[in-house]
Amino acid sequence: MGFFPCSRNSLLLLFTTIFLVTSSTAVSGSNHFQDFDITWGEGRGKILENGELLTLSLDNYSGSGFQSKKEFLFGKIDMQLKLVPGNSAGTVTAFYLSSGGLNHDEIDFEFLGNLSGEPYTVHTNVYAQGKGEREQQFHLWFDPTADFHTYSVLWNPQTIVFSVDNTPLREFKNLEKLGVPFPKTQPMKLYSSIWNADQWATRGGLIKTDWTQAPFVASYRNFNADACVVSDAPGAAYCTSSLADTTPWESQKLDILSEEKLKWVQRNYMIYNYCNDADRFPQGFPLECYA
């Protein structure tokens, strides 16, 4: 592997013009102590089993959250999650990349709880330069509370793909040529949190959180980031070269099989698409909806 030190400004310029086609760095998730900081929750977030397991919990006093120690500028991010079991109505577990700030970029998974036996709602969104309103929602074809499943974000200059167990749910392509902003210049950290949102999360707020079921616990393991990492050193950043990788995330896109899986998911499990919500956009749909 080669090492490429450079200034942050130089790195951003490089990625937005020619992009480092041969650069990637694998960040192992074998130890959550090394990868994440518990940022809030007064002990409700825990790293257990010698760093191999992370849990976040919510009770009627507080939720909890964590963030990655590193920032990423493009990459393939994977984490195994087991969502809150039982009656999780009113709770939201978020798993997202964000740059922070007023004009931030963000790539969101949010998991909206429900009554026992009812499906979770998987809420997705993409923000670019502070603008979101690109929501798509799905149900899943399995029980996400019974076991761990791998939730992934592929983010490169061409596309953003949301996947579960290597099955794509959603793709947001780079359509800058049509005037659609695309996240590409702001490094992002990975965040996750669990909190009470019973004013809107389950059936529009009709079903409230049953605090007799607390604590509500979400579990995380096997984090992996194959990505370009912005260094902790002021003004510096680095990528590593991995020429042996025959399917680098830098140029990865959906193949024919993945396209068919995406169509299957959207045909059978999509429950909301902003591009079909005419009442919300009386002046016309966002430009990407016509692509």
Side-chain angles (χ1 to χ4, degrees):
M1 287 192 175
F3 180 76
F4 301 94
C6 59
S7 71
R8 176 178 291 198
N9 288 340
S10 296
L11 181 70
L12 296 182
L13 179 61
L14 188 58
F15 270 82
T16 56
T17 53
I18 61 172
F19 190 63
L20 287 175
V21 176
T22 60
S23 68
S24 66
T25 180
V27 179
S28 172
S30 60
N31 191 328
H32 292 318
F33 287 112
Q34 297 174 0
D35 296 320
F36 301 110
D37 292 316
I38 306 293
T39 50
W40 63 285
E42 298 180 338
R44 291 172 178 82
K46 294 178 170 46
I47 299 177
L48 307 167
E49 298 181 7
N50 297 316
E52 294 184 2
L53 178 70
L54 192 156
T55 62
L56 295 179
S57 67
L58 164 70
D59 57 34
N60 58 335
Y61 293 101
S62 177
S64 51
F66 67 83
Q67 69 180 42
S68 63
K69 295 178 183 289
K70 296 181 178 359
E71 291 183 298
F72 309 104
L73 184 62
F74 299 123
K76 175 79 159 42
I77 309 295
D78 303 303
M79 177 75 91
Q80 289 191 326
L81 278 72
K82 183 164 68 172
L83 298 178
V84 176
N87 180 2
S88 58
T91 71
V92 174
T93 304
F95 178 70
Y96 62 103
L97 291 158
S98 180
S99 63
L102 182 62
N103 294 315
H104 72 292
D105 295 337
E106 190 167 309
I107 303 169
D108 289 345
F109 270 116
E110 291 186 354
F111 306 97
L112 314 185
N114 218 326
L115 292 172
S116 299
E118 297 294 328
Y120 260 79
T121 295
V122 181
H123 177 99
T124 66
N125 203 353
V126 175
Y127 286 76
Q129 301 173 19
K131 183 183 182 301
E133 298 185 341
R134 300 182 174 98
E135 300 91 346
Q136 290 183 356
Q137 295 182 341
F138 306 84
H139 286 156
L140 294 170
W141 49 96
F142 56 84
D143 180 358
T145 74
D147 203 350
F148 286 90
H149 293 268
T150 302
Y151 299 84
S152 306
V153 172
L154 169 67
W155 170 38
N156 64 31
Q158 295 81 40
T159 193
I160 295 167
V161 178
F162 299 78
S163 299
V164 181
D165 294 336
N166 292 317
T167 296
L169 300 179
R170 175 181 186 176
E171 181 176 27
F172 184 82
K173 295 180 180 180
N174 185 340
L175 297 174
E176 289 180 302
K177 63 185 179 182
L178 301 181
V180 180
F182 186 83
K184 69 176 188 180
T185 62
Q186 300 189 76
M188 302 195 218
K189 286 191 174 184
L190 179 66
Y191 298 85
S192 191
S193 57
I194 184 170
W195 76 93
N196 177 46
D198 65 2
Q199 71 275 19
W200 63 269
T202 306
R203 293 186 60 193
L206 293 177
I207 302 177
K208 302 301 182 182
T209 303
D210 180 0
W211 293 112
T212 66
Q213 305 296 313
F216 303 97
V217 180
S219 303
Y220 306 74
R221 71 182 186 189
N222 291 339
F223 166 69
N224 188 73
D226 186 9
C228 186
V229 178
V230 177
S231 173
D232 294 332
Y238 69 87
C239 297
T240 57
S241 177
S242 180
L243 298 177
D245 188 353
T246 58
T247 56
W249 55 263
E250 296 96 331
S251 58
Q252 186 176 345
K253 60 183 180 180
L254 296 181
D255 58 21
I256 294 175
L257 179 58
S258 296
E259 291 275 9
E260 289 302 313
K261 288 182 178 180
L262 178 65
K263 291 176 183 177
W264 174 78
V265 170
Q266 298 199 341
R267 184 170 57 248
N268 293 286
Y269 296 99
M270 177 183 282
I271 59 172
Y272 177 80
N273 182 1
Y274 73 112
C275 285
N276 295 332
D277 193 343
D279 291 338
R280 186 176 172 189
F281 300 102
Q283 304 304 317
F285 291 113
L287 291 174
E288 64 269 19
C289 296
Y290 298 102

